[in-house]
Amino acid sequence: MQVSRIGPSWVVSSGAGLHAYFTLTADVEVADWLPVAHALKAMALAQGLRIDPAVTGDAARVLRPLGALHRSGARVAV
């Protein structure tokens, strides 16, 4: 079996960490996205990555747009 590897389309500095974004070619329903988000969260935690597990699986908070102000005072930048 061949396994495809994908990498993020963008890595953004949020002001207090890094966000990895993956560009999609079609809209995705939350019900279809959620199991993938949970799998990504589980993999990141298993690898010892320091993530915010509440945000990683929350469709309403998963994106911090460029230029947004982080509570640390830093602006989101690519």
Side-chain angles (χ1 to χ4, degrees):
M1 172 173 64
Q2 183 177 355
V3 176
S4 298
R5 294 186 178 262
I6 61 170
S9 305
W10 296 90
V11 176
V12 174
S13 170
S14 71
L18 300 175
H19 292 206
Y21 294 108
F22 298 84
T23 303
L24 304 176
T25 58
D27 292 344
V28 177
E29 295 293 327
V30 172
D32 295 327
W33 168 82
L34 201 52
V36 177
H38 287 300
L40 177 62
K41 178 171 42 175
M43 182 185 69
L45 291 170
Q47 293 297 316
L49 297 177
R50 293 177 49 201
I51 65 167
D52 184 339
V55 174
T56 303
D58 184 350
R61 298 189 305 157
V62 74
L63 175 67
R64 181 170 287 153
L66 292 175
L69 187 63
H70 189 274
R71 67 177 169 209
S72 70
R75 293 243 175 235
V76 175
V78 174

